[in-house]
Amino acid sequence: MSKNTAISRPAGYQTPWEKIRPYVYILPAMFFLAVFVIYPLFDVVVRSFQKWNLITEPTWVGWENYAYNFRRKEFTDAILHTIIYAVFVVGVGLSLSTLFAVWLSKNTFLNNLTRNIMFMPHVIALLSVAMVWAWIMNKDNGLLNMVLNFFGLPSLKWVDSSDTAMMSVIIVALWKAIGYNTMLIYAAIQNVPAELYEAADLDNAGSVKKFFKITLPMISPQMFMLLITATTGSFRVFDTIRVMTRGGPGTSTQVLVYYIYKQAFILQGKVGYAFAAAVVLMLMIGVLTIAYFRILSKRVHYQ
């Protein structure tokens, strides 16, 4: 028998190296995942049951940190503010982005220019955006009040009033996110097969019917992805609140992440309360994500 003749192996047979090779390849990624994600999450859960001020040794207090948070109206209000912020930013943001994407789907010079302009806020740092909008919404000499006064309308206090502060923060978040979401939805619309619209035209289907029967089902994977990322991002909002309102006036814009920051770094010796609030936030995001996959993933149409 020739030495170059290949040795036949039974079907499905794998050498020891072939069996462990996939796990060896993903080992570096799993190592970093364990060190920087899994271990910190486990550590947060453990420390949420401890009293700790970053100086002395932590002591085990059980559910006391959670009970302290839920007894405080400030904490429950922070949960409510987070939900309100997420509902408006996700619901209104994705709705407007979809409308803009459909409107800009025709390839014209004006639409191309509009798409480029709309995408610009996404590439600007959120800290810079918040600082600029804080000036624009200044109650004394801000640009928005100048525009309102030009049209004979009264000035608003914007971030300086508990009645309009949350609305102001939501406006900034929408301005920052709509361009990015619009571009992703626009790209998804461009990949919808043209023959589907041609068949709908033969059936004399209107624009609204074509959108709900063709466009929306075909772009549902991208919409589902945006829904997940927008929801998790809105529950983790911090920079805009920190720069524009610092959770105020009063606690009218204090969301969960800012509450955690306040307990851990502004109010000394309450790190355990911050860890407990962080676990609550993690559970809220986890439950919402699971609900999305359980309920909405069945409506996603993959080609």
Side-chain angles (χ1 to χ4, degrees), residues 125-294:
L126 184 57
L127 183 63
S128 301
V129 169
M131 294 178 66
V132 171
W133 274 96
W135 169 77
I136 292 175
M137 291 180 172
N138 187 281
K139 64 179 180 178
D140 297 321
N141 53 5
L143 181 62
L144 281 181
N145 280 341
M146 291 181 184
V147 174
L148 291 176
N149 295 335
F150 178 80
F151 288 102
L153 299 174
S155 300
L156 295 177
K157 293 184 178 180
W158 299 106
V159 296
D160 294 303
S161 171
S162 58
D163 296 328
T164 55
M166 181 57 75
M167 176 190 69
S168 304
V169 173
I170 291 173
I171 289 174
V172 176
L174 291 174
W175 182 85
K176 181 79 167 65
I178 280 179
Y180 173 76
N181 295 339
T182 299
M183 291 302 99
L184 291 182
I185 299 172
Y186 166 80
I189 292 176
Q190 298 306 301
N191 290 325
V192 177
E195 54 266 22
L196 296 178
Y197 294 113
E198 295 172 358
D201 289 335
L202 294 176
D203 292 335
N204 295 322
S207 300
V208 176
K209 187 175 182 179
K210 284 192 290 187
F211 173 77
F212 284 102
K213 295 296 184 180
I214 298 176
T215 306
L216 194 57
M218 294 300 292
I219 66 173
S220 56
Q222 290 79 9
M223 294 293 294
F224 184 66
M225 182 272 292
L226 283 176
L227 179 64
I228 297 292
T229 56
T231 301
T232 55
S234 61
F235 269 80
R236 295 183 289 106
V237 60
F238 174 76
D239 292 357
T240 310
I241 302 292
R242 176 70 175 83
V243 173
M244 296 185 65
T245 66
R246 296 180 183 269
T251 59
S252 59
T253 59
Q254 183 169 260
V255 292
L256 262 177
V257 175
Y258 192 83
Y259 176 88
I260 295 168
Y261 164 78
K262 182 178 177 181
Q263 296 297 318
F265 300 106
I266 298 179
L267 304 176
Q268 299 297 325
K270 297 187 176 182
V271 181
Y273 305 145
F275 279 122
V279 172
V280 172
L281 175 62
M282 180 177 62
L283 290 176
M284 291 175 63
I285 295 176
V287 169
L288 267 178
T289 303
I290 294 172
Y292 283 158
F293 276 96
R294 283 293 188 91

